[in-house]
Amino acid sequence: MTALRSLLASGVRDLRVRDYPVAAGARRDGRGPFPMVWTDLPGGTALDADGVVTATGPDGRAYPNPVSMCLYALGEHSRALAEDRPDRDRFGPFLTQASWLRAHQDGEGGWRYPVPVPRYGVGPGWYSGMAQGMAASTLLRAHDLTGERSYLDSADGAVEVLLRPVDRGGCADYDERGRPFLEECPASPPSRVLNGALFALFGLIEHQHRTGGSAHLAVQDRLAAELAGFDLGYWSRYDLRWSWPASVNYHALHVSLLAATAGLTGMPVFDDVAGRWRARLRDPASRLRARVVKATQVWRHRRG
């Protein structure tokens, strides 16, 4: 009972909702602000001596985290764009992350994570679809800023790994119609993380509009078809691997990501779902129910 009380208490503390603004002026070709506004360093991260974003691994050691790096970089880029005639130095933090990505991209075109993901039974050495897509968004903007072709080449490599089938070491899980789901953490069985897939889609849309590709159309069609699976009727799910409700802040992030996706794709289904989930977010009873249900299910899972 002590563990259950602890989970319930953390749920009550989690009722404060973070704001995830959708950027105005986001373009499908990525020539402008990133669709989501990120205002600070992601939680649990820090800047190392070189200004690169690092996270703390389970062994207590810091490692460069591509997703966190891109969130910070794209936030800095958007803030610099919003200033009146910013000079090149203002983009320094952004270019620090973009340069690291370019320099440390492996021969396959990706960035392997050196940490395990116990939630999905995944060991170190995996590619993240979220990282690959967000890196493409970052590298495309670095090319726009510097004119250096190598950033475009790096973005191409990132998208190649993003669309490579999971069974060949990539991040895309294809259905019988050939539509890929972009896996934040490729696993067996598939994890289907919603926020990671949406972030990855942003980068793919931007890249395909630069190159004339159409892979994003199948991705957004697959996501639209599977949205119902993430709907609990009173809240959203973080993934399709576990039936637990998402945390309140991930639910809020889902709402903003879906609204941004509607703007980029022109597909009303994303806006419709965002509207329903936004109403639940504003309902204290729905928030409390989601957290209590999650706490109970996690407790039962741990006991099992």
Side-chain angles (χ1 to χ4, degrees):
M1 291 302 295
T2 300
L4 178 58
R5 284 196 296 269
S6 176
L7 286 168
L8 291 173
S10 68
V12 173
R13 292 193 299 270
D14 196 31
L15 291 178
R16 186 173 63 180
V17 183
R18 175 173 176 170
D19 186 32
Y20 297 96
V22 177
R27 294 173 41 161
R28 293 176 181 175
D29 61 5
R31 300 184 191 277
F34 189 65
M36 293 289 297
V37 178
W38 205 267
T39 56
D40 49 23
L41 276 170
T45 67
L47 297 177
D48 68 10
D50 297 319
V52 174
V53 179
T54 62
T56 303
D59 60 359
R61 291 186 294 181
Y63 69 94
N65 185 318
V67 164
S68 299
M69 200 179 297
C70 291
L71 284 170
Y72 174 68
L74 292 164
E76 287 294 308
H77 181 270
S78 295
R79 282 191 289 278
L81 287 181
E83 296 179 3
D84 184 25
R85 302 176 66 179
D87 58 32
R88 175 67 176 269
D89 290 343
R90 179 62 184 85
F91 290 94
F94 164 77
L95 288 174
T96 295
Q97 315 310 313
S99 296
W100 188 96
L101 291 168
R102 179 179 59 178
H104 292 83
Q105 187 174 32
D106 66 23
E108 295 291 315
W111 300 267
R112 292 188 183 274
Y113 270 77
V115 294
V117 186
R119 179 185 178 97
Y120 304 123
V122 174
W126 50 282
Y127 291 126
S128 167
M130 183 176 176
Q132 298 296 132
M134 296 193 73
S137 291
T138 301
L139 294 162
L140 291 173
R141 287 166 173 81
H143 169 263
D144 294 342
L145 191 61
T146 66
E148 296 176 22
R149 173 71 201 191
S150 57
Y151 282 118
L152 286 184
D153 295 337
S154 188
D156 291 344
V159 169
E160 197 283 324
V161 174
L162 177 63
L163 294 175
R164 186 186 302 164
V166 169
D167 60 9
R168 288 171 40 204
C171 302
D173 187 59
Y174 288 82
D175 65 10
E176 66 281 355
R177 293 173 53 186
R179 301 177 302 176
F181 191 100
L182 305 179
E183 293 282 2
E184 177 178 339
C185 182
S188 180
S191 53
R192 301 282 195 274
V193 179
L194 181 57
N195 84 90
L198 292 169
F199 272 117
L201 176 59
F202 293 166
L204 182 60
I205 288 174
E206 293 171 353
H207 179 270
Q208 299 292 274
H209 275 81
R210 301 277 188 116
T211 64
S214 60
H216 62 291
L217 298 177
V219 174
Q220 62 197 42
D221 184 58
R222 172 83 180 273
L223 268 172
E226 295 205 3
L227 276 180
F230 291 94
D231 196 326
L232 292 171
Y234 61 92
W235 206 251
S236 65
R237 294 167 63 170
Y238 175 81
D239 58 27
L240 295 185
R241 177 73 173 272
W242 303 100
S243 61
W244 308 331
S247 71
V248 66
N249 281 313
Y250 268 111
H251 183 81
L253 180 59
H254 291 162
V255 170
S256 295
L257 285 169
L258 289 171
T261 302
L264 287 178
T265 65
M267 298 177 68
V269 61
F270 293 108
D271 212 25
D272 293 344
V273 174
R276 290 200 301 273
W277 290 4
R278 185 180 294 110
R280 297 169 189 171
L281 182 64
R282 294 170 177 168
D283 177 19
S286 293
R287 294 204 303 270
L288 184 58
R289 177 183 177 185
R291 199 58 180 91
V292 170
V293 170
K294 180 177 181 178
T296 303
Q297 290 180 343
V298 171
W299 175 69
R300 289 173 178 169
H301 174 74
R302 289 178 178 174
R303 287 190 67 191

